[in-house]
Structure formats: C-alpha cells, structure tokens
C-alpha cells in the first residue's frame, strides 16, 4: 500500500454492477480533478478470444474446466507486479483487451496497429503523472499460492449480487448481446463454478466495502426468469469490513439516503435505485482523503 501512489480496485464479475461503481468513480474523479491510471481486468487474461476458445476445448477433452475466473487463464503474477510497481513508483505496464469494433478502431488509430475485437493491444507504459491506479475487473483482491494482488490495494470494493440474480443477469446478457442459447449459458455457468468458488468468492471477504444487490422478487429459479429484477425491485446491502478505517459516518449516510437502514453495526441497506448515489456519497470522502494524504 502507498500513500503517494494509492491503488483502488473494484472486483466483481461482469454484469454484477461494476459499471455502476465505475461511473460513480468517474464522477468523483472528474469533480475532484483526480487523474487515474485505469486498468481493465480483462487485459490480464492469458488468452485472447480465439485462443481462449481453443484452450477451453482442449481442457474439456482432458476432462478439465477452464474459465476466465481461475489462474490458468489469467496473468495473476503480472497483475501483482503491476500493483507493486505502481505502489512504489507510480509506473507500470498496461494493455487493453478489445471488446468491440469501436474499441479496435480507437486503439488502432492511437497505436497504428491492425487489431480486431477479441485481441490485446501491445503493452505500454502507464503515464507518469497519474494520481492513483483504478482497477476494475474480476481479480482486484485475488490471492493464490503464487500471487497476492490484494496486499497492494488501498481501497478494495466488491460488487456482487446474490448468486441467483447474478445468473439471471448473465443468462439475459449472453442471450441478448451475444446470441448464446440458454443451454450454452448454463454449461458455461457450470464450467466456471469451481473457479468462481475458489478465486472469485473469497475476494468478497477481503473487500473494504462490499455492495451486494438483493432482489425483493422471486428469483428462486433463475433459469426460467423472463426478465431481470429492476433496481426498484431490490435492495443494496453495503458491508464495511472496518468502518473505523475510513471514518464511516453512519448517521450522516442514513440522513442522506432516504429509506435506508442499518441491519448490523457495520451494514447499511439502501433501496436498489439509490445504489449509484450511495456509492458517490460513501466513496467521495475516501478518495478526497487519499488525495490529501498524497500532498502531506
């Protein structure tokens, strides 16, 4: 951890709500004039899209499961090295995973490359004038026998819905956006489950603040759900591992977030529609304190 070069990591699987917390941080950074070095978790996958497809097929033939959740398909050592390097010097190497044709065009123009969706850009230096490193992806707090990414993170945020809600979101997203059949999506969920249990879930016990969305409608069979519960059909359970670490003022939060309540001494519950607002109210003073500490 580093006061001069702090690291903020948001960890959670795709569709869990990480985009909401990412937008909250973007608003905070803009208002407070913070320049972040942005790191996307997908850029530390081991394989590009085509190679991953081949690797999954080969693993299946051997009777093994391979997923984006586990160490076999990720560069955990390189991610740990980046966090260590940045915390010490504010520098490091990054690259981008190109999710779409639009991203490919943007980076090809910038780098004079000829890459397509599903490929990685070349490694490049992080600019040396950033105020903090902001990571968003699957493994911001991962710890394995060979790598400890979490040890360098100054603020670790978890974003995770209850598991049935997460499955509903994945089924609908992969069907609508990627054209996958329901059977193929269920097969993917089953293949990923061992890695999810061993490498994703443990991170949420290490997070400083955890945002968990809980639906208030029946999601007992996620595989037949016709739609995704709306924010107004859910609550967000916000757990602070150590409220004293960031001087969390619960009376202030309760006054600012209408219809919120405390369920435990370190757990705040807010209406689902106020998730983004709650994030900004909670996280703004934490980031401002980090920036003040850098100037001391």
């Amino acid at each position: 951890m580093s006061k001069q070069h702090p690291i903020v990591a948001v960890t959670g699987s795709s569709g869990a709500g990480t985009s909401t917390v990412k937008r909250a941080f973007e608003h905070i950074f803009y208002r407070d004039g913070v320049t972040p070095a942005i790191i996307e978790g997908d850029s530390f996958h081991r394989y590009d899209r085509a190679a991953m497809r081949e690797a999954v097929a080969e693993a299946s033939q051997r009777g093994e499961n391979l997923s984006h959740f586990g160490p076999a398909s990720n560069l955990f050592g390189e991610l740990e090295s980046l966090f260590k390097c940045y915390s010490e010097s504010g520098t490091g190497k990054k690259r981008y995973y190109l999710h779409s044709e639009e991203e490919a065009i943007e980076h090809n123009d910038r780098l004079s490359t000829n890459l397509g969706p599903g490929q990685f850009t070349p490694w490049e230096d992080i600019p040396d004038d950033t105020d903090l490193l902001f990571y968003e992806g699957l493994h911001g707090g991962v710890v394995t026998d060979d790598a400890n990414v979490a040890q360098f993170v100054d603020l670790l945020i978890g974003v995770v819905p209850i598991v049935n809600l997460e499955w509903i979101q994945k089924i609908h997203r992969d069907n609508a956006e990627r054209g996958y059949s329901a059977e193929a999506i269920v097969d993917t969920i089953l293949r990923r489950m061992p890695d999810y249990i061993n490498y994703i879930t443990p991170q949420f016990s290490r997070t400083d603040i955890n945002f968990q969305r809980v639906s208030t409608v029946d999601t007992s069979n996620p595989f037949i759900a016709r739609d995704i519960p709306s924010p107004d059909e859910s609550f967000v359970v916000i757990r602070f591992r150590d409220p004293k670490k960031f001087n969390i003022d619960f009376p202030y939060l309760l006054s600012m977030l209408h219809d919120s309540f405390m369920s435990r001494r370190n757990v705040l519950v807010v209406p689902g529609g106020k998730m983004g607002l709650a994030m900004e109210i909670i996280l703004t003073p934490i980031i401002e304190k980090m920036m003040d500490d850098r100037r001391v």
Side-chain angles (χ1 to χ4, degrees), residues 2-295:
S2 169
K3 283 188 176 182
Q4 195 61 33
H5 307 291
I7 295 175
V8 176
V10 177
T11 189
S13 58
S14 178
T18 51
S19 59
T20 302
V21 71
K22 184 177 179 181
R23 283 195 299 271
F25 274 110
E26 288 173 349
H27 295 163
I28 295 168
F29 295 156
Y30 177 78
R31 285 196 303 265
D32 289 355
V34 175
T35 302
I38 297 176
I39 303 298
E40 299 174 353
D42 289 354
S43 66
F44 281 84
H45 289 330
R46 188 179 303 275
Y47 304 109
D48 66 17
R49 189 176 296 168
M52 182 63 178
R53 194 175 296 115
E54 293 178 5
V56 168
E58 292 172 0
S60 179
Q61 291 178 354
R62 298 192 300 269
E64 301 172 358
N65 288 323
L66 183 69
S67 81
H68 280 126
F69 292 157
S73 56
N74 288 282
L75 304 175
F76 289 162
E78 285 81 348
L79 182 59
E80 178 190 27
S81 296
L82 168 62
F83 280 18
K84 181 177 187 294
C85 182
Y86 190 89
S87 69
E88 293 174 348
S89 63
T91 59
K93 296 282 188 180
K94 69 173 183 178
R95 65 178 178 179
Y96 295 93
Y97 176 80
L98 304 176
H99 297 87
S100 64
E101 188 65 41
E102 290 76 16
E103 288 185 3
I105 292 172
E106 174 189 348
H107 290 288
N108 284 333
D109 289 345
R110 185 176 63 86
L111 298 168
S112 298
T113 52
N114 186 27
L115 301 168
Q119 294 182 297
F120 297 107
T121 65
W123 293 99
E124 56 188 292
D125 290 329
I126 288 174
D128 56 9
D129 58 350
T130 58
D131 298 311
L132 57 78
L133 184 148
F134 178 77
Y135 169 96
E136 185 263 319
L138 291 170
H139 300 110
V142 75
V143 176
T144 70
D145 292 339
D146 302 315
N148 184 343
V149 173
Q151 66 180 314
F152 298 106
V153 180
D154 298 272
L155 173 61
L156 181 59
I157 304 293
V159 187
V160 55
I162 58 171
V163 68
N164 280 17
L165 179 55
E166 182 169 355
W167 288 348
I168 290 172
Q169 292 179 161
K170 176 172 179 55
I171 291 167
H172 280 258
R173 183 203 64 192
D174 285 2
N175 178 262
E177 297 181 9
R178 302 176 182 177
Y180 296 166
S181 68
E183 294 78 10
I185 298 167
V186 172
D187 286 344
T188 299
I189 290 173
L190 293 173
R191 174 170 53 82
R192 290 178 170 183
M193 189 54 61
D195 284 341
Y196 186 90
I197 292 170
N198 291 314
Y199 301 104
I200 302 298
T201 302
Q203 295 180 93
F204 302 119
S205 295
R206 305 181 189 113
T207 50
D208 294 302
I209 308 173
N210 213 49
F211 295 87
Q212 183 178 38
R213 187 174 163 214
V214 180
S215 62
T216 56
V217 296
D218 184 10
T219 61
S220 53
N221 187 347
F223 305 108
I224 64 168
R226 293 187 176 183
D227 51 32
I228 300 172
S230 69
D232 290 335
E233 295 174 324
S234 64
F235 282 103
V236 179
V237 178
I238 307 170
R239 188 267 300 158
F240 301 84
R241 185 175 55 164
D242 179 8
K244 293 181 180 179
K245 178 178 179 181
F246 298 111
N247 297 314
I248 302 301
D249 186 343
F250 288 113
Y252 171 74
L253 295 178
L254 290 168
S255 70
M256 293 295 291
L257 297 164
H258 186 61
D259 291 332
S260 62
F261 60 93
M262 303 290 296
S263 62
R264 288 188 175 179
R265 57 172 294 276
N266 65 331
V267 177
L268 176 69
V269 182
V270 304
K274 293 186 170 72
M275 182 174 176
L277 174 63
M279 288 175 172
E280 292 197 38
I281 292 174
I282 292 167
L283 298 171
T284 295
I286 296 175
I287 296 300
E288 290 177 347
K289 176 76 163 52
M290 282 185 177
M291 295 301 98
D292 289 344
D293 289 346
R294 291 186 74 234
R295 302 183 184 101

